[in-house]
Amino acid sequence: QLDFKEDSLFRNIEPSFAYHLDLTRLAKNFSVRSLGSRQTSTGQVHLYTATPRPQALKMEKKANKAPRVFARALSFVLDFSSASFERMLVDALNALDVNVPSGGPGSDNHLFINLVSDYERVVLDPVVVEQVIVTILKRHSERVSRLGVAEVETRLVCCLSEDSPPISLRMVASNPTGYVHVMNTYVEAADES
């Protein structure tokens, strides 16, 4: 695809981390440029500025055409807890605070937190995880909105019971009205194409 040329999107990222950052998903609809990364006590936070691609704007006429910032946080944790999730969220917000482009943070910024571990062996109730995420986001809602973060997306792999196979969950939290957090949970399916 690139005729053996370097893909600058993956520059300065450990190869094993690149997959977990889900950058190819961004590159489909946005022209993406790195703002750098930060090693934190909980993992790594990578920041990108992104401008919507013309073909993406053609499909969604009402889409915001302004550039935005994508923060991609990657943490290798042993178990899911409210404290570990909150530390990761605060580290990502700190990185956004320090590295926003000149002219302010803008709007429609996006925060993606990928919690990578042996969750395949851990039984988690998605409803409890949703409640933990919403509670923590409410606690930090003023800062999240000040930084222009429109969505906070969390990904983790877990089991629903002792004998069930592992599933990958994506939980997308947004606050479209400024008053009520909306949480949508998806089970990822393998791409058959």
Side-chain angles (χ1 to χ4, degrees):
Q1 192 176 36
L2 293 174
D3 295 324
F4 299 103
K5 294 179 188 168
E6 177 191 21
D7 187 347
S8 61
L9 184 61
F10 297 102
R11 185 177 293 155
N12 299 325
I13 301 175
E14 277 192 47
S16 60
F17 292 0
Y19 166 77
H20 295 295
L21 292 172
D22 235 0
L23 295 175
T24 51
R25 202 170 134 221
L26 286 182
K28 288 179 186 174
N29 295 317
F30 294 93
S31 297
V32 182
R33 187 177 53 84
S34 175
L35 294 173
S37 66
R38 291 181 52 160
Q39 181 68 39
T40 66
S41 61
T42 57
Q44 287 191 339
V45 179
H46 298 262
L47 296 171
Y48 299 90
T49 183
T51 307
R53 293 185 185 273
Q55 64 267 27
L57 291 172
K58 284 180 189 174
M59 292 188 316
E60 185 65 43
K61 302 281 189 222
K62 296 179 183 177
N64 184 349
K65 296 171 179 65
R68 68 228 33 211
V69 175
F70 284 90
R72 315 298 272 182
L74 180 61
S75 182
F76 294 91
V77 293
L78 297 176
D79 60 358
F80 180 85
S81 69
S82 61
S84 66
F85 178 79
E86 187 165 17
R87 280 192 304 271
M88 191 70 227
L89 176 71
V90 169
D91 282 346
L93 294 175
N94 289 343
L96 267 172
D97 236 348
V98 171
N99 292 306
V100 290
S102 61
S107 63
D108 281 349
N109 297 330
H110 187 272
L111 174 58
F112 172 69
I113 299 174
N114 192 354
L115 301 168
V116 181
S117 82
D118 281 340
Y119 284 131
E120 297 88 55
R121 300 185 187 128
V122 175
V123 176
L124 289 174
D125 181 359
V127 174
V128 172
V129 175
E130 282 180 10
Q131 290 170 346
V132 166
I133 292 171
V134 168
T135 301
I136 292 169
L137 285 174
K138 283 181 182 174
R139 193 175 306 143
H140 296 277
S141 64
E142 187 177 312
R143 187 170 184 208
V144 167
S145 73
R146 183 175 49 81
L147 290 170
V149 176
E151 286 185 345
V152 176
E153 182 176 349
T154 306
R155 180 182 182 275
L156 60 94
V157 177
C158 65
C159 290
L160 299 178
S161 67
E162 294 278 333
D163 55 345
S164 69
I167 59 169
S168 178
L169 297 175
R170 277 193 194 259
M171 299 176 185
V172 181
S174 61
N175 190 354
T177 62
Y179 298 104
V180 178
H181 283 87
V182 176
M183 176 68 82
N184 294 304
T185 302
Y186 305 94
V187 175
E188 286 185 342
D191 188 8
E192 300 297 326
S193 59

